[in-house]
Amino acid sequence: AEHALPNMRGKFDLIMTSPPYGGAEIYDKATHGTSAATRPGTVFVDEWLGPILRRCIAMLRPGGALVINVDDSPSNNVNICARLLRYMQNVDCDFVGTIGLRKRGRPRGLQGGDTTPMAEPIYIWCRPGETHRVRAAIVDAARLSLRR
């Protein structure tokens, strides 16, 4: 991010991302790739994703939001959500909450009439500042989605 957007500290209100975590994407020529499926969760978060998110937080204006869609995938040996939440506790930002991104279909292996909705977490953090605006927008969005 710092190479593509130099001198952009404090310039954005919102940064949204869905980084590679399922094994399909490899963005560098590293021996183990960049996705969580090719690196242990702690290495993926501590050495790759976490530092990128720190830079994203720095690019936010006070009160700006970082929104990230990432999920565990036990069948692909990807278990990063808990590690990511722990990592972000040491970043200068406020955890606002989680929204569920509803998935279509049902997980493999379920039989019969299981209709449990599946969802991926979308985590939201704010740079310290006027976070009440972001929280209000999330509550409004949740109310709208419940009406459907």
Side-chain angles (χ1 to χ4, degrees):
E2 73 276 4
H3 301 296
L5 301 169
N7 304 317
M8 296 304 249
R9 293 181 68 83
K11 300 285 185 182
F12 295 93
D13 293 315
L14 173 69
I15 297 175
M16 297 179 69
T17 185
S18 181
Y21 56 87
E25 304 90 350
I26 296 179
Y27 291 102
D28 66 19
K29 295 180 182 179
T31 305
H32 300 292
T34 55
S35 74
T38 58
R39 295 180 181 191
T42 54
V43 171
F44 176 75
V45 171
D46 294 350
E47 297 179 15
W48 190 77
L49 181 59
I52 289 171
L53 297 181
R54 279 184 185 274
R55 291 188 290 270
C56 288
I57 291 288
M59 286 192 270
L60 291 171
R61 291 185 173 123
L66 171 64
V67 179
I68 178 171
N69 169 229
V70 66
D71 196 9
D72 290 334
S73 177
S75 63
N76 290 321
N77 199 30
V78 174
N79 299 293
I80 59 173
C81 290
R83 178 67 195 143
L84 176 62
L85 291 170
R86 283 191 302 275
Y87 181 94
M88 293 299 286
Q89 288 176 345
N90 297 312
V91 177
D92 186 23
C93 60
D94 300 324
F95 182 67
V96 175
T98 306
I99 298 173
L101 173 64
R102 187 172 181 170
K103 294 180 179 181
R104 294 185 187 261
R106 61 178 187 238
R108 290 183 209 130
L110 288 182
Q111 302 296 324
D114 188 334
T115 58
T116 305
M118 298 299 300
E120 290 181 3
I122 299 176
Y123 299 114
I124 304 163
W125 288 273
C126 284
R127 186 164 174 200
E130 297 183 37
T131 58
H132 63 278
R133 290 183 188 175
V134 173
R135 290 172 200 238
I138 291 168
V139 169
D140 288 345
R143 284 186 190 130
L144 289 174
S145 68
L146 291 174
R147 290 183 197 164
R148 291 183 183 178

